[in-house]
């Protein structure tokens, strides 16, 4: 079937209809067959085989024609990737495009963006094929596969001990699941797969009695909530069933579910099983405390992203929750890597998977990754309150494209990257890890066709008539919200109370029907669901008691789930839609309300804090905190003229029906392909994969560490003599060097005296001073001069030139080393120092370099001149050769098998970290030795500092604090460097990700 689908996607719509004719067994077969000949030249949607079928009430052939005429009269649609639609008209002015083949679109194009823009024009009015997309961006080598990663599957799962599974409808995120259905259908050229967690699996007890036999007791049936629990009689409680430790699912039953989900007709899904490694075996899986995998996202990230900050705590529970959150993202990454093929596009959704883009980038640097956040993104002032703010931002920046619901959210994200990570950014992107991460705004839509079909079904129409009869002669204000503090239900009720107070003439003429569905988000902190529910109930009681009567209650509150039929009947019956969110992502209720009001034109009152406010500009916008203004706007909506209501509804309806969920996902993917095409030559240096590093470290019995000093172990400071190591750095290095399997070296441009003074008391450390001029081996007190035979006469010429520029630039000074000379301008005026350094560099290159065998090295706010044959790369080569052949530094082991394994003395783990240009010599040397003297997978070269630097290192870290954290991870020590102290939160998560459980 997969092969048939792939083949069918490459054909035109008419070909598909013709191929499926012989299989048709419906009464329409003869109609399709008779019309296939006389209407073959018409567009597919206008053929009689389609237009004669009554699908949607009220939609006739003339509807399509009128819409087509409207579209043709409008300005041309924006280009495929360019937001400036004016370029389209320029294209048509110069002459029509030759779209007979994809290769013609490539001819004469100045860039990949131009090719994709032309493709967008050529595809107007017809479905694109994957062949055309591949031809437009041939360098991307797209496979045609899309992998969508979302937290939970589109199905809710119920498990029978017999091995049977019940797949139900999962509430929430209907727009996202509709987008998945669209991508999985034959309407798109992509092959689509969803990777998602199973969600909390409900275990169903097997009934021992036939279905038609009434049981003797209901005590064994679980209550729907705590209020429906059995009431004990005579003071005796019912027997408590024995506690079962988790839900056990045999492996064959897991395979059965995976088979069901992978062959689902609507959405093909690959499930992710979340459990500790100790709870997983070849026989099956035991699911304990299934809700823990969502706790950090819902307790910490969700409230903060909605501008709610918890009280600070001791962090003990947060440590465990963060470790589970990290492991969740890690398991998703592992599952995606299992099914990934080169050329696949990965689309990641929402705040549960913020770390996933970076984890995938670490494993597949050239993977095509996009991320879309469906909820708000806070300003930097709020994000700073998140302890793991840096990890969250670094995780998101692993994507090629990051999408948001509104412009303010994208602006906040770019601002946070600059203010917190110090990454250069603008309104459309962030420069990170050697490449450009594009940032875009893509307001989500709904499946309008599906909504209209459901909203005007006979069952809904009957319910609509019943509602209108129930509230006859009343104006109906409708609200449907989730019961959490960010939906603004309390603000809505207080505003309605204020309305009844200010406009007494509307009393007993207006009813507010408020439906509050239970909250699916486990918010922690001060306002759990029961507090919000209590507040809402209190307000409802007060309003009904003040303004109601025995025969009428102005507020009808229904704390329950609605069936889709009830929900759409309520939206159709409404005279006003009222949404008062205090902070929200994309509120699809407002979009569905607009569709349901296509005939009755009920005004929409929408909070300006909702994600849809920017899209639905013709709605009545309100500030939910301004109760009096909301009351005035309710009266305004009730007294609005029919002409104004119709004009408002017409504009809103046009927007919702054109910017639907299909348009949303298509635009997002087009932008992604355009981003990939424009950045295809970027050299990405991903974040250091600490889990991979820790795994290789533990497997190795012989390890070599090479650390730069300034900018790596300590931050860069204005006064070089003030860059002293912290106590944590000293204790962590001590712990690392104490392991007899580790050889730890500090390779710095500093002189011998400085290194000896601050780190020389750690006898297990090896030192290389002045970029390799002097070395001191671990356990020795004497320094070896590697440059004593070199001619140093060049220093006089350099000092003369350095002194000239020192006199010119106040704050600059000369540092004299035995084998090198350095001119520093850290304390000088930044602009003058930089300009003078550039002039000085040119002068040195034109004079001293031509005369002597020396190199001029650009450092951080300094220039250094040294002999050509002295550099950190030569020291790195020397250490690799020495430790590969010398095993004397390894203490004897009582394990004979381990000794047999190490008899060849090969290094099995090499970690090299540095921050500036001089450290690139080490990276270059190690890259040359990888695969020959050391296994490539055993070498970790890491550059520290600016995200935009071009480097030869394989990995990247942000700052010296991250370096110390990584060393502490390998040494197994805490924040103070002591082994008895617990690991930091970040390192605990890394260890948990490797070991498969949170260590105690």
């Amino acid at each position: 079937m997969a092969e048939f689908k792939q083949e069918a996607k490459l054909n035109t719509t008419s070909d598909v209809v013709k191929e499926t004719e012989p299989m048709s067994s419906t009464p329409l077969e003869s109609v399709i067959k008779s019309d296939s000949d006389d209407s073959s030249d018409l567009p597919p949607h206008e053929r009689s085989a389609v237009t004669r079928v009554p699908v949607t009430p009220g939609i006739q052939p003339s509807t399509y024609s009128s819409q087509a005429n409207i579209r043709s009269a409008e300005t041309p649609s924006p280009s495929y990737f360019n937001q400036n639609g004016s370029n389209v008209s320029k294209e048509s002015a110069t002459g029509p495009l030759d779209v007979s083949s994809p290769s013609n679109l490539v001819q004469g194009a100045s860039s990949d963006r131009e090719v994709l823009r032309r493709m967008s024009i050529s595809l107007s009015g017809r479905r694109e094929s994957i062949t055309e997309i591949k031809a437009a961006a041939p360098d991307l080598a797209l496979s045609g596969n899309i992998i969508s990663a979302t937290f939970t599957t589109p199905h809710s799962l119920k498990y029978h001990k017999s091995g049977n599974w019940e797949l139900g409808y999962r509430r929430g995120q209907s727009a996202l699941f509709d987008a998945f259905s669209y991508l999985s259908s034959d309407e798109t050229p992509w092959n689509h797969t969803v990777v998602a967690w199973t969600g909390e699996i409900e275990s169903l007890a097997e009934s021992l009695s036939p279905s038609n036999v009434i049981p003797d007791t209901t005590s064994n049936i679980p209550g729907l909530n705590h209020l429906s629990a059995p009431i004990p009689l005579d003071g005796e409680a019912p027997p408590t069933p024995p506690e079962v430790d988790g839900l056990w699912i045999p492996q064959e039953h897991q395979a059965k579910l995976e088979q069901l989900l992978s062959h689902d007709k609507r959405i093909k899904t690959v499930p992710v099983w979340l459990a500790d490694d100790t709870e997983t075996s070849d026989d099956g899986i035991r699911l304990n405390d299934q809700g823990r995998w969502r706790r950090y996202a819902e307790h910490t990230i969700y409230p903060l992203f909605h501008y709610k900050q918890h009280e600070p705590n001791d962090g003990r529970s947060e440590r465990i929750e963060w470790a589970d959150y990290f492991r969740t993202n890690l398991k998703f990454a592992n599952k995606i890597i299992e099914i990934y093929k080169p050329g696949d596009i990965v689309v990641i959704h929402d705040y549960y998977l913020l770390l996933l883009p970076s984890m995938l980038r670490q494993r597949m640097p050239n993977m095509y990754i996009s991320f879309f956040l469906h909820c708000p993104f806070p300003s930097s002032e709020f994000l700073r309150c998140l302890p793991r703010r840096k990890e969250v931002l670094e995780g998101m920046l692993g994507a090629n494209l990051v999408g948001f619901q509104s412009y303010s959210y994208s602006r906040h994200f770019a601002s946070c990257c600059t203010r917190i990570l110090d990454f250069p950014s603008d309104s459309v992107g962030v420069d990170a890890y050697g490449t450009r991460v594009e940032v875009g705004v893509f307001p989500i839509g709904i499946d309008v066709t599906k909504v209209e079909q459901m909203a005007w079904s006979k069952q809904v129409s009957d319910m609509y008539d019943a509602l209108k009869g129930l509230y006859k002669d009343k104006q109906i204000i409708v609200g449907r919200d989730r019961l959490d503090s960010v939906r603004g239900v309390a603000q809505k009720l207080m505003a309605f109370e204020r309305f009844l107070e200010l406009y007494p003439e509307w009393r007993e003429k207006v009813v507010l029907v408020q439906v509050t569905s239970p909250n699916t988000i486990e918010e922690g902190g001060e306002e759990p669901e029961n507090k919000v529910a209590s507040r809402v109930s209190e307000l409802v009681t007060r309003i009904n008691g003040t303004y109601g009567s025995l025969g009428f209650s102005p507020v009808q509150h229904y704390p329950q789930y609605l069936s889709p039929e009830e929900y759409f009947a309520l939206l159709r019956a409404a005279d006003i839609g009222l949404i008062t969110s205090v902070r929200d992502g994309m509120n699809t209720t407002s979009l569905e309300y607009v569709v349901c009001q296509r005939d009755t034109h009920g005004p929409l009152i929408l909070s300006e804090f909702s994600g849809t406010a920017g899209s639905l500009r013709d709605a009545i916008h309100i500030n939910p905190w301004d109760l009096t203004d909301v009351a005035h706007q309710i009266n305004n909506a009730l007294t609005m003229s029919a002409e104004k209501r119709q004009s408002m509804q017409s504009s809103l309806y046009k927007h919702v029906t054109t910017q639907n969920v299909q348009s949303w996902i298509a635009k997002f993917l087009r932008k992604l392909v355009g981003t990939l095409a424009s950045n295809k030559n970027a050299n990405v240096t991903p974040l250091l994969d600490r889990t991979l590093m820790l795994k290789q470290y533990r497997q190795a019995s012989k390890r070599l560490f090479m650390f730069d000093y300034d900018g790596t172990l300590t931050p860069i400071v204005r006064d070089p003599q003030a860059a002293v190591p912290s106590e944590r750095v000293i204790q962590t290095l001590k712990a690392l060097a104490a392991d007899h399997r580790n050889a730890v070296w500090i390779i710095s441009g500093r002189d011998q005296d400085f290194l000896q003074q601050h780190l020389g008391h750690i006898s297990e450390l090896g030192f290389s001073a002045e970029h390799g001029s002097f070395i001191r081996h671990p356990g020795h007190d004497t320094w070896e001069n590697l440059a004593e035979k070199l001619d140093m006469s060049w220093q006089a010429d350099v000092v003369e030139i350095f002194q000239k520029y020192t006199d010119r630039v106040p704050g600059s000074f000369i540092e004299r080393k035995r084998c090198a000379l350095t001119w520093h301008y850290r304390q000088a005026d930044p602009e003058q120092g930089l300009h003078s350094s550039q002039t000085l560099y040119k002068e040195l290159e034109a004079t001293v370099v031509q005369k002597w065998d020396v190199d001029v090295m650009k450092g951080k706010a300094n220039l250094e001149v040294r002999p050509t044959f002295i550099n950190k790369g030569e020291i790195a080569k020397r250490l690799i050769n020495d430790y590969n052949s010398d095993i004397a530094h390894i203490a004897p082991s009582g394990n004979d098998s381990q000794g047999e394994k190490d008899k060849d003395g090969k290094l099995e783990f090499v970690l090299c970290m540095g921050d500036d240009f001089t450290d690139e010599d080490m990276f270059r040397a190690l890259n040359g030795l990888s695969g020959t003297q050391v296994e490539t997978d055993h070498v970790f070269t890491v550059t520290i500092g600016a995200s935009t630097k071009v480097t030869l290192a394989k990995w990247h870290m942000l700052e010296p604090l991250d370096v110390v954290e990584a060393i502490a991870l390998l040494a197994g020590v805490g924040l103070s460097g002591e082994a008895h102290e617990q690991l930091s939160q970040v390192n605990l998560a890394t260890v948990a990700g490797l070991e498969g459980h949170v260590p105690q």
Side-chain angles (χ1 to χ4, degrees):
M1 291 297 293
E3 295 176 357
F4 172 77
K5 177 181 177 181
Q6 180 67 26
E7 181 180 352
K9 286 186 175 185
L10 298 177
N11 296 327
T12 62
T13 307
S14 60
D15 293 333
V16 174
V17 173
K18 291 177 182 179
E19 288 179 11
T20 56
E21 281 178 8
M23 301 174 60
S24 175
S25 58
T26 66
L28 296 174
E29 178 181 0
S30 58
V31 177
I32 297 174
K33 186 174 182 180
S34 62
D35 293 337
S36 60
D37 295 330
D38 59 0
S39 63
S40 58
D41 56 339
L42 292 175
H45 68 278
E46 292 188 0
R47 295 178 189 172
S48 55
V50 176
T51 58
R52 288 185 185 180
V53 181
V55 178
T56 306
I59 301 296
Q60 306 297 335
S62 59
T63 306
Y64 296 104
S65 301
S66 61
Q67 290 179 352
N69 293 335
I70 293 174
R71 284 196 298 268
S72 62
E74 293 173 348
T75 57
S77 60
S79 61
Y80 201 78
F81 301 108
N82 192 347
Q83 296 181 355
N84 184 5
S86 61
N87 292 338
V88 179
S89 59
K90 291 180 181 179
E91 181 76 38
S92 59
T94 57
L97 288 172
D98 182 3
V99 298
S100 58
S101 70
S103 59
N104 292 330
L105 295 175
V106 181
Q107 295 179 359
S110 59
S111 66
D112 290 320
R113 287 177 178 267
E114 173 67 12
V115 173
L116 296 169
R117 188 187 70 79
R118 293 182 180 185
M119 188 173 69
S120 177
I121 301 171
S122 69
L123 292 172
S124 178
R126 65 186 180 91
R127 199 201 75 176
E128 57 194 330
S129 73
I130 195 63
T131 303
E132 291 168 317
I133 297 176
K134 289 180 179 179
D139 293 341
L140 298 180
L142 295 173
S143 65
N145 300 325
I146 292 179
I147 302 173
S148 293
T150 187
F151 184 57
T152 53
T153 63
H155 308 91
S156 61
L157 304 178
K158 296 181 179 180
Y159 171 67
H160 293 267
K161 295 296 178 64
S162 61
N164 294 324
W165 293 88
E166 291 185 19
L167 273 59
Y169 171 76
R170 189 180 296 279
R171 296 181 182 273
Q173 294 187 303
S174 60
L176 177 61
F177 295 153
D178 287 340
F180 290 166
S181 295
Y182 171 68
L183 282 177
S184 302
S185 70
D186 289 334
E187 297 179 40
T188 69
W190 305 98
N191 290 320
H192 183 235
T193 302
V194 172
V195 175
W197 176 43
T198 59
E200 291 87 348
I201 298 176
E202 180 182 349
S203 177
L204 298 178
E206 300 295 336
S207 176
L208 300 178
S209 305
S211 58
N212 58 348
V213 177
I214 301 176
D216 295 332
T217 178
T218 60
S219 61
N220 61 338
I221 300 177
L224 296 178
N225 56 55
H226 67 281
L227 298 178
S228 62
I231 301 174
L233 301 176
D234 302 327
E236 295 182 2
T240 303
E243 289 289 334
V244 178
D245 187 18
L247 172 62
W248 172 255
I249 302 178
Q251 198 280 330
E252 57 269 22
H253 295 174
Q254 288 182 259
K256 186 174 182 179
L257 174 63
E258 293 173 358
Q259 178 76 4
L260 282 173
L261 295 177
S262 64
H263 289 79
D264 185 74
K265 294 182 179 179
R266 180 167 172 249
I267 303 173
K268 176 185 175 183
T269 306
V270 176
V272 177
W273 299 90
L274 296 181
D276 290 344
D277 287 358
T278 55
E279 300 167 347
T280 306
S281 66
D282 294 337
D283 298 328
I285 188 171
R286 185 171 298 280
L287 304 177
N288 288 311
D289 189 14
Q290 299 182 62
R292 62 179 158 152
W293 306 107
R294 62 170 75 240
R295 283 194 189 120
Y296 185 83
E298 296 181 356
H299 288 185
T300 303
I301 296 179
Y302 177 86
L304 189 134
F305 276 26
H306 288 81
Y307 290 81
K308 292 174 58 184
Q309 179 58 33
H310 297 324
E311 289 293 325
N313 54 57
D314 58 14
R316 284 180 292 183
S317 61
E318 187 177 324
R319 280 170 54 83
I320 306 300
E321 290 176 1
W322 171 257
D324 287 334
Y325 183 79
F326 180 89
R327 287 197 295 151
T328 298
N329 283 258
L330 193 61
K331 286 182 179 289
F332 267 80
N334 293 336
K335 180 59 69 173
I336 290 174
I337 293 298
E338 284 181 19
I339 64 174
Y340 171 80
K341 297 178 181 178
D344 289 0
I345 289 176
V346 179
V347 184
I348 303 167
H349 294 273
D350 229 1
Y351 59 93
Y352 294 96
L353 303 174
L354 293 173
L355 307 181
L356 184 54
S358 180
M359 289 180 173
L360 291 174
R361 182 70 63 205
Q362 290 167 344
R363 289 159 176 75
M364 295 284 182
N366 297 318
M367 182 182 285
Y368 305 147
I369 305 171
S370 61
F371 179 86
F372 189 86
L373 186 66
H374 292 260
C375 70
F377 194 90
S379 63
S380 60
E381 287 77 10
F382 257 84
L383 191 67
R384 285 180 184 275
C385 300
L386 183 67
R388 303 273 67 83
R389 62 201 179 189
K390 187 169 68 173
E391 288 77 12
V392 164
L393 290 175
E394 289 175 337
M396 297 175 67
L397 288 172
N400 300 101
L401 172 66
V402 181
F404 297 92
Q405 297 279 15
S406 73
Y407 174 72
S408 62
Y409 304 156
S410 68
R411 181 169 50 83
H412 288 162
F413 173 73
S415 174
C416 287
C417 291
T418 300
R419 293 171 181 261
I420 296 176
L421 300 181
D422 199 26
F423 287 2
S425 68
D426 52 38
S427 60
V428 294
V430 180
D431 295 326
Y433 311 123
T435 188
R436 175 80 169 174
V437 178
E438 296 286 339
V439 177
V441 179
F442 308 90
I444 199 171
I446 59 174
D447 189 341
V448 177
T449 303
K450 172 185 168 185
V451 171
E452 288 187 332
Q453 288 177 349
M454 295 186 66
W456 274 270
S457 65
K458 184 180 185 305
Q459 186 178 2
V460 171
S461 296
D462 292 342
M463 291 183 179
Y464 164 79
D465 294 336
L467 282 171
K468 281 297 188 182
L470 180 63
Y471 299 109
K472 187 178 181 181
D473 300 326
K474 299 285 192 301
Q475 295 290 308
I476 304 174
I477 302 176
V478 167
R480 200 290 298 258
D481 305 276
R482 202 165 60 206
L483 193 59
D484 63 31
S485 55
V486 302
R487 304 298 173 180
V489 180
Q491 286 80 354
K492 182 185 302 183
L493 292 170
M494 288 188 288
F496 184 67
E497 182 181 31
R498 181 65 172 157
F499 164 74
L500 295 177
E501 177 187 348
L502 292 177
Y503 299 96
E505 65 272 17
W506 285 110
R507 297 175 187 175
E508 300 198 9
K509 295 181 181 178
V510 176
V511 58
L512 171 62
V513 181
Q514 176 63 45
V515 180
T516 53
S517 56
N519 189 14
T520 58
I521 305 295
E522 292 186 11
E523 283 190 75
E526 298 179 349
E527 282 193 279
E529 181 180 342
N530 57 349
K531 286 193 175 183
V532 179
S534 299
R535 176 62 174 156
V536 169
S537 298
E538 176 188 332
L539 288 169
V540 170
T541 302
R542 188 174 76 191
I543 296 171
N544 287 338
T546 304
Y547 300 103
S549 62
L550 289 177
F552 174 72
S553 297
V555 178
Q556 301 292 322
H557 180 222
Y558 301 97
Q560 64 187 62
Y561 281 120
L562 291 181
S563 68
E565 292 78 15
E566 293 171 322
Y567 171 63
F568 288 119
L570 189 62
L571 293 186
R572 282 184 58 188
D575 295 289
I576 294 177
L578 183 56
I579 297 174
T580 55
S581 308
V582 296
R583 189 67 59 179
D584 202 359
M586 188 56 63
N587 191 313
T588 56
T589 299
S590 59
L591 306 179
E592 291 160 342
Y593 174 80
V594 169
V595 174
C596 290
Q597 290 292 317
R598 73 178 190 191
D599 299 327
T600 49
H601 311 149
L604 172 64
I605 302 177
L606 181 62
S607 167
E608 65 186 49
F609 299 110
S610 171
T612 48
S615 302
L616 303 180
R617 299 184 183 277
D618 290 297
I620 301 175
H621 290 184
I622 50 97
N623 180 351
W625 301 102
D626 189 349
L627 303 182
T628 300
D629 180 66
V630 177
H632 290 326
Q633 295 302 335
I634 293 175
N635 178 70
N636 178 33
L638 290 171
T639 57
M640 187 180 294
S641 65
E643 293 79 9
K644 189 173 181 180
R645 288 160 65 110
Q646 184 175 359
S647 174
M648 177 187 296
Q649 169 63 20
S650 175
S651 177
L652 292 174
Y653 184 78
K654 179 181 178 182
H655 173 83
V656 173
T657 52
T658 54
Q659 306 301 317
N660 53 27
V661 71
Q662 293 86 352
S663 170
W664 166 71
I665 193 63
K667 288 180 179 178
F668 186 65
L669 291 175
R670 287 175 180 175
K671 176 63 176 177
L672 174 61
V673 175
T675 299
L676 295 172
S678 62
N679 297 332
K680 63 180 182 300
N681 295 322
N683 185 21
V684 180
T685 307
L687 273 174
L688 175 63
D689 188 342
R690 301 189 190 198
T691 306
L692 179 63
M693 178 183 69
L694 180 61
K695 179 181 179 181
Q696 184 57 41
Y697 174 84
R698 290 184 173 183
Q699 292 175 350
S701 58
K702 190 174 183 181
R703 312 162 183 141
L704 174 62
F705 297 85
M706 292 176 279
F707 299 118
D708 176 40
Y709 183 78
D710 290 287
T712 301
L713 293 177
T714 61
I716 297 292
V717 294
R718 289 179 63 86
D719 183 4
Q721 296 304 315
V724 298
S726 66
E727 186 62 25
R728 186 188 182 193
V729 169
I730 294 173
Q731 295 301 326
T732 304
L733 287 174
K734 274 186 178 180
L736 184 68
D739 190 329
H740 69 277
R741 294 168 293 182
N742 297 341
V744 184
W745 282 75
I746 309 299
I747 303 179
S748 173
R750 293 281 188 166
D751 58 27
Q752 301 159 263
D753 295 337
F754 184 92
L755 296 177
Q756 183 70 39
Q757 176 185 354
H758 296 291
L759 294 173
H761 61 284
I762 308 177
S763 60
E764 296 87 354
L765 292 182
F767 296 98
S768 170
E770 298 190 27
H771 302 293
S773 299
F774 301 87
I775 62 171
R776 195 195 83 174
H777 289 277
H780 293 73
D781 295 327
T782 58
W783 289 81
E784 180 183 352
N785 186 353
L786 302 181
E788 60 183 349
K789 296 181 180 180
L790 296 177
D791 184 5
M792 295 296 173
S793 303
W794 55 268
Q795 290 189 343
D797 294 346
V798 174
V799 168
E800 182 181 349
I801 299 175
F802 275 2
Q803 189 60 51
K804 180 173 61 175
Y805 281 84
T806 302
D807 296 338
R808 293 180 184 176
V809 182
S812 63
F813 60 93
I814 302 172
E815 180 185 3
R816 299 173 182 267
K817 304 175 183 178
R818 296 190 183 183
C819 296
L821 292 173
T822 307
W823 184 72
H824 293 275
Y825 57 94
R826 293 181 189 176
Q827 300 178 20
D829 178 79
E831 292 186 5
Q832 184 186 16
L834 180 60
H835 179 267
S836 298
S837 70
Q838 294 171 347
T839 307
L840 173 57
Y841 180 83
K842 293 179 181 178
E843 184 172 342
L844 290 171
E845 286 285 331
T847 56
V848 177
V849 173
Q850 301 297 324
K851 182 179 178 182
W852 301 95
D853 198 6
V854 295
D855 288 330
V856 182
M857 311 298 296
K858 292 182 179 179
K860 292 185 176 179
N862 67 69
L863 285 178
E864 181 167 291
V865 182
R866 67 185 185 196
T868 301
F869 298 104
I870 295 180
N871 60 68
K872 293 182 178 181
E874 295 300 320
I875 291 297
K877 293 178 183 178
R878 178 173 180 149
L879 293 179
I880 292 290
N881 292 328
D882 289 348
Y883 282 95
N884 262 342
S885 58
D886 177 23
I887 60 173
H889 75 290
I890 304 264
S893 173
N895 189 333
D896 294 337
S897 61
Q898 184 69 34
E900 182 69 21
K901 175 183 176 182
D902 297 330
K903 66 181 181 179
D904 59 353
K906 290 291 186 181
L907 286 167
E908 296 175 328
F909 179 87
V910 177
L911 175 62
C912 179
M913 292 183 167
D915 71 306
D916 65 12
F917 184 81
T918 62
D919 300 308
E920 295 296 319
D921 293 331
M922 289 195 292
F923 303 151
R924 184 181 295 105
L926 291 175
N927 289 342
L929 297 175
S930 296
T932 55
Q933 298 195 42
V934 186
E935 294 292 334
T936 303
D937 295 339
H938 297 173
V939 178
F940 292 82
T941 51
V942 186
T943 187
I944 316 299
S947 65
T948 55
K949 67 168 61 175
V950 177
T951 179
L952 295 172
K954 298 178 183 177
W955 306 95
H956 184 278
M957 297 190 88
L958 188 60
E959 57 185 349
L961 182 62
D962 297 330
V963 174
V964 181
E965 196 78 29
I967 299 173
L969 170 66
L970 300 179
V973 297
L975 295 176
S976 66
E978 300 292 338
H980 60 81
E981 194 179 31
Q982 66 179 7
L983 296 174
S984 68
Q985 193 175 112
V986 173
N987 287 346
L988 178 70
T990 304
V991 174
L994 179 62
E995 297 181 354
H997 65 91
V998 180
Q1000 300 300 321

